[in-house]
Amino acid sequence: MGVFSNKIDREQLNPGDHIYSWRQAYIYAHHGIYVGDGMVNHFTRGGGQEIGTGTVLDRFLCSSSPSNDTDTPCPKCGDQNKTDGVISSCLDCFLSGDSLYLFEYGVSTAYFLAKARGGTCTLAVADPNEDVLRRASFLLENGFGGYNVFNNNCEDFAVYCKTGLLISTSISVGRSGQAASCLAAASTVISTPLRFMTTSFSGLAAVGYGMYCVSRLVSDIGVRRDVSKVPVERLVASPDLDEPEKMEMLIASPEVDAPEKAEEVTKED
């Protein structure tokens, strides 16, 4: 594992690891938390679609729900083709025939920028594995809100399990490095000031890549100042995790530490 690849063997896995596997010819990656005994907790849209926009994009980004090539359901997972939300799958179903990769935490700025592709590492420091597993288990039972490819996706789920961090502003994508990379690339392409900074193609490419790197870096959850540590019990008290405005209100509200208090808040709402 290193700058060029985060690929690992199954024997290297530890409970609490944030893992991912590439989908659709490396267009995007699906993320989850390895919980031990060959099982992975992960967040998926299900229903045959990854983003559910009703547009042509749905044909390219198919569902991350585990699928079987045969008519026989997996003996460990059952049939999860149409299952959505936070689910538990065996490692084979999670990988869907692709390779296994480990998401890295607490990396240096230089290492982060050397990883040109987002969604593989972060400067944020991970919490102890027991905290990670507790969050992953709690969210398996209580859910992680509605799936949103930009604001509340599988990487957001895994990053929250590892760090407990949420973004406290509504003008933002979620914690996902993949979403941040897409936004950074789009911003670089449409930034008209670039054409006035250089006249050569190589110069334009260098300036564009520099802007892309800076945009990725400032969007990383380990660098941002608009993040807060939110207990998982308090998180599930809000059913609108996919709506940034509601999340901003949740983070600004008084802290709820215990599950009992979270239940009281839910009843009052």
Side-chain angles (χ1 to χ4, degrees):
M1 195 171 70
V3 172
F4 297 105
S5 176
N6 288 8
K7 189 175 180 179
I8 61 171
D9 296 324
R10 297 190 183 200
E11 293 74 20
Q12 297 174 266
L13 276 176
N14 294 301
D17 280 347
H18 174 174
I19 60 176
Y20 63 95
S21 180
W22 292 104
R23 298 285 197 269
Q24 298 293 97
Y26 290 87
I27 294 177
Y28 69 100
H30 186 54
H31 295 247
I33 298 294
Y34 181 69
V35 296
D37 296 325
M39 302 300 292
V40 183
N41 288 5
H42 56 118
F43 185 45
T44 181
R45 179 178 176 83
Q49 295 179 340
E50 179 69 17
I51 54 179
T53 61
T55 68
V56 69
L57 290 176
D58 295 334
R59 298 182 181 180
F60 295 97
L61 300 182
C62 61
S63 175
S64 296
S65 295
S67 59
N68 296 299
D69 296 331
T70 66
D71 295 331
T72 305
C74 173
K76 294 187 69 174
C77 307
D79 184 6
Q80 296 184 324
N81 287 327
K82 301 298 182 181
T83 307
D84 60 2
V86 180
I87 63 177
S88 181
S89 306
C90 70
L91 192 56
D92 287 329
C93 288
F94 173 81
L95 295 176
S96 295
D98 292 305
S99 298
L100 173 65
Y101 297 84
L102 179 68
F103 193 99
E104 296 180 274
Y105 286 82
V107 303
S108 66
T109 301
Y111 186 92
F112 179 86
L113 293 176
K115 292 276 195 180
R117 187 72 179 267
T120 60
C121 62
T122 177
L123 278 73
V125 177
D127 288 335
N129 282 340
E130 53 266 28
D131 293 339
V132 177
L133 293 171
R134 185 177 67 85
R135 292 184 190 120
S137 176
F138 195 89
L139 294 175
L140 177 63
E141 297 296 327
N142 296 276
F144 193 63
Y147 191 99
N148 184 296
V149 69
F150 293 112
N151 293 313
N152 201 50
N153 58 40
C154 59
E155 186 182 344
D156 293 323
F157 164 79
V159 169
Y160 173 75
C161 287
K162 290 290 289 187
T163 65
L165 296 175
L166 290 179
I167 295 173
S168 58
T169 56
S170 59
I171 308 176
S172 172
V173 294
R175 299 160 294 285
S176 170
Q178 294 184 97
S181 291
C182 291
L183 182 61
S187 299
T188 300
V189 171
I190 65 176
S191 294
T192 54
L194 285 176
R195 63 186 179 187
F196 300 111
M197 299 177 67
T198 180
T199 57
S200 67
F201 176 79
S202 59
L204 182 63
V207 173
Y209 184 70
M211 289 189 63
Y212 169 76
C213 289
V214 170
S215 182
R216 275 189 59 226
L217 180 62
V218 299
S219 298
D220 183 67
I221 197 168
V223 174
R224 301 177 62 140
R225 299 297 181 91
D226 57 344
V227 297
S228 301
K229 202 92 164 179
V230 178
V232 67
E233 295 85 4
R234 180 182 172 197
L235 179 70
V236 300
S238 172
D240 303 304
L241 305 184
D242 56 327
E243 299 182 24
E245 294 81 4
K246 299 292 182 64
M247 289 305 303
E248 188 173 359
M249 294 174 60
L250 168 67
I251 293 173
S253 65
E255 185 173 1
V256 179
D257 290 320
E260 294 79 8
K261 293 183 179 180
E263 292 177 2
E264 292 177 4
V265 172
T266 305
K267 291 178 181 179
E268 291 176 0
D269 292 340

